[in-house]
Amino acid sequence: MKRNTQKPEGQPTRGKTAANRLRRVDNFILLYEPALLTRTDGLFSDSLFVDLGYGFDARTTLESAVRFRRANATLRILGVEIDKERVEAALPFADEQTFFRLGGFNLPLASGEHVRLIRAFNVLRQYEEKDFAPAYERLAEYVLPGGLMIEGTSTPFGSLWAANLVRCVGAGQWSFEALVFSTNFHAGFDVEEFQTILPKNLIHRVVKGEPIHDFFEAWKRSAAETAAAKTFGLQQWFAASVEALAQKGFDVDRHRKWLGKGYLIWYL
């Protein structure tokens, strides 16, 4: 099939990663909407999961392949990198369902290919804020209506991350569905630490008058109000803080399947 051979749009990232850095991101998707990985209706039947900016080696893409193919053994997976040497290093790991291609925000899709899910982690954090909207607009062109992109930033070993969850609502348009925070509690629980890994569109907006500022102020107050719960463990304290946040009027998911695993979902 003929593939888009235009010059990749974007710039190389540092590319450093660690084994299983994005495991909790993948596990979140598997919990949040497993049907997205198994859909076979219409154009979804042969559509791709795209790992955008996988880094200096192919490990994050290959790790995702193992996880996601437990749900869909025939899922087609595409790792995209803007660095030619990284792509060449990954090619020996390609097979009939796993591909590695040179590309950027203009995804290197072959004719007739479509995308069901994009994961873009630790990519836009290295760009300017002004580059955020154009990158999102470009990526929306490739995703099927109903498909998702999860885009955000993690700490070096993935113990903490924060991400935008956006859904394609048709005609290349995104709808911001949720802001998701994740912790495995290995470094304790401190609300302020999440501010340092906010997605690019939010990290410079934690100032008075901005919704993200109000959210963090309310979450910090909620954590202080429920601090006694940490006697029973960090998971219990985290869950209690989210319950208190909900009582302050924020649309956060209070289901234990999320809170017990260290996920906070704020619906937008």
Side-chain angles (χ1 to χ4, degrees):
M1 290 185 291
K2 185 178 180 181
R3 190 165 72 247
N4 183 349
T5 56
Q6 297 179 28
K7 181 180 178 181
E9 296 176 8
Q11 59 194 37
T13 60
R14 288 188 291 272
K16 294 181 179 179
T17 194
N20 291 312
R21 183 180 187 179
L22 302 182
R23 175 172 52 194
R24 288 183 58 83
V25 180
D26 293 348
N27 288 343
F28 171 79
I29 291 295
L30 286 164
L31 276 170
Y32 187 81
E33 194 169 330
L36 182 61
L37 298 172
T38 59
R39 284 184 67 170
T40 58
D41 56 298
L43 296 176
F44 276 93
S45 63
D46 203 30
S47 60
L48 296 156
F49 158 62
V50 175
D51 185 14
L52 179 61
Y54 56 81
F56 74 91
D57 66 28
R59 75 179 71 188
T60 62
T61 306
L62 298 173
E63 289 166 351
S64 297
V66 172
R67 294 181 196 115
F68 289 163
R69 286 186 180 138
R70 292 185 187 128
N72 178 359
T74 62
L75 180 66
R76 299 173 75 241
I77 292 176
L78 171 62
V80 175
E81 251 298 336
I82 202 167
D83 185 298
K84 185 177 180 181
E85 291 184 0
R86 295 174 187 171
V87 176
E88 291 175 348
L91 286 177
F93 299 98
D95 57 34
E96 292 182 356
Q97 295 175 307
T98 311
F99 317 100
F100 296 94
R101 297 174 188 163
L102 182 69
F105 298 125
N106 53 334
L107 296 182
L109 300 184
S111 176
E113 287 183 335
H114 303 278
V115 176
R116 67 177 75 206
L117 171 66
I118 297 174
R119 184 186 65 194
F121 254 71
N122 306 307
V123 175
L124 281 168
R125 67 178 300 179
Q126 298 176 53
Y127 286 73
E128 299 294 326
E129 187 176 356
K130 65 180 176 58
D131 298 320
F132 176 88
Y136 263 54
E137 290 170 4
R138 194 70 163 105
L139 290 167
E141 298 175 16
Y142 305 100
V143 180
L144 291 168
L148 287 173
M149 177 167 70
I150 186 164
E151 180 276 319
T153 303
S154 75
T155 52
F157 294 99
S159 58
L160 290 175
W161 56 261
N164 292 309
L165 188 67
V166 294
R167 190 174 299 274
C168 182
V169 293
Q173 296 294 316
W174 293 120
S175 173
F176 279 74
E177 188 160 301
L179 184 62
V180 185
F181 301 92
S182 166
T183 176
N184 62 9
F185 302 106
H186 288 177
F189 169 49
D190 183 348
V191 173
E192 289 190 352
E193 289 188 350
F194 286 106
Q195 291 184 207
T196 66
I197 54 168
L198 280 168
K200 178 57 68 173
N201 61 316
L202 296 172
I203 195 165
H204 300 301
R205 296 185 178 275
V206 189
V207 294
K208 288 184 178 180
E210 292 282 353
I212 190 64
H213 173 270
D214 296 341
F215 175 85
F216 270 103
E217 289 301 300
W219 194 10
K220 283 185 278 190
R221 289 198 308 274
S222 296
E225 293 163 3
T226 58
K230 62 183 170 183
T231 302
F232 305 101
L234 294 177
Q235 287 94 333
Q236 287 78 4
W237 183 22
F238 176 83
S241 76
V242 176
E243 292 280 357
L245 190 54
Q247 292 171 12
K248 293 176 175 60
F250 289 88
D251 188 7
V252 290
D253 198 313
R254 300 161 70 181
H255 288 88
R256 289 288 164 172
K257 77 170 186 176
W258 299 118
L259 303 184
K261 292 180 171 64
Y263 295 114
L264 188 161
I265 305 172
W266 178 25
Y267 297 109
L268 305 175

